[in-house]
Amino acid sequence: MSSNTSKTNFSAEIVNRFAPAKSAAGLVYAPIGEGVEYRETRVYELAFEGDRDAVQKFVRDVLSDEHAQDAHFSDEPAIKDATYYVDVSMKRNVLDLEKEYLLKYYRSLKDPGFSLEDLVIKRRIYIFGDASVLPASQLERDLVNPVIQESITH
């Protein structure tokens, strides 16, 4: 294990190995044309102080399933051939139950090897196909509840 103890930001994207792209028609309310598909992943952005290897172990052990998912450790997207992708997350002032349960579990660990300073969880939706059939603005309008969520299109 390394002993990198500086405060740092860390991104982990969890990708299901066996989930093929699906029709994007189910993501939006209005009908769209054929040929647009999507894949969904989960992104965990952690701000921590301590051992980077311990954070990776936490992600692999707690946030992913080694048999069905890949943990991608990078600020770059795990899936490279998408037309665009949208990150959706809960706003900071809104209760995020998944985040709260993860933080509760983290606090129950005897010696995790790192101090978790912040955690942001994002739902990442990759879109494949003609962006004119499903523009990012339509996807965000139908997918995101602006009262409790925020989104960024890439």
Side-chain angles (χ1 to χ4, degrees):
M1 280 224 211
S2 74
S3 59
N4 179 5
T5 59
S6 63
K7 186 174 177 181
T8 189
N9 294 320
F10 185 85
S11 184
E13 185 171 0
I14 309 303
V15 180
N16 188 323
R17 289 184 194 140
F18 307 111
K22 301 182 228 173
S23 170
L27 292 175
V28 293
Y29 299 120
I32 60 171
E34 298 285 321
V36 179
E37 296 182 319
Y38 81 99
R39 282 191 69 192
E40 185 172 337
T41 66
R42 203 74 155 168
V43 177
Y44 298 90
E45 294 178 351
L46 302 95
F48 72 95
E49 196 169 299
D51 188 345
R52 184 179 189 90
D53 292 340
V55 176
Q56 286 188 349
K57 181 179 180 342
F58 176 81
V59 168
R60 284 192 178 99
D61 292 350
V62 177
L63 304 178
S64 68
D65 174 347
E66 69 177 312
H67 302 292
Q69 298 172 319
D70 290 317
H72 178 77
F73 300 107
S74 174
D75 290 331
E76 295 297 316
I79 299 173
K80 304 293 185 203
D81 59 343
T83 305
Y84 66 90
Y85 64 93
V86 177
D87 286 336
V88 180
S89 59
M90 299 297 281
K91 288 183 174 178
R92 289 252 179 218
N93 60 345
V94 174
L95 178 62
D96 181 340
L97 291 176
E98 180 183 7
K99 177 181 175 178
E100 292 304 314
Y101 278 107
L102 284 172
L103 291 173
K104 181 179 178 183
Y105 177 78
Y106 163 79
R107 288 189 291 269
S108 75
L109 299 174
K110 296 288 184 228
D111 182 17
F114 64 98
S115 172
L116 186 57
E117 307 292 328
D118 194 20
L119 172 65
V120 176
I121 303 169
K122 296 179 179 181
R123 177 182 178 200
R124 181 166 285 171
I125 310 291
Y126 290 94
I127 299 297
F128 306 93
D130 187 348
S132 68
V133 174
L134 180 55
S137 60
Q138 180 183 358
L139 179 63
E140 285 187 89
R141 182 183 65 240
D142 289 356
L143 192 66
V144 178
N145 179 341
V147 174
I148 61 171
Q149 297 173 314
E150 55 193 12
S151 63
I152 299 173
T153 299
H154 304 269

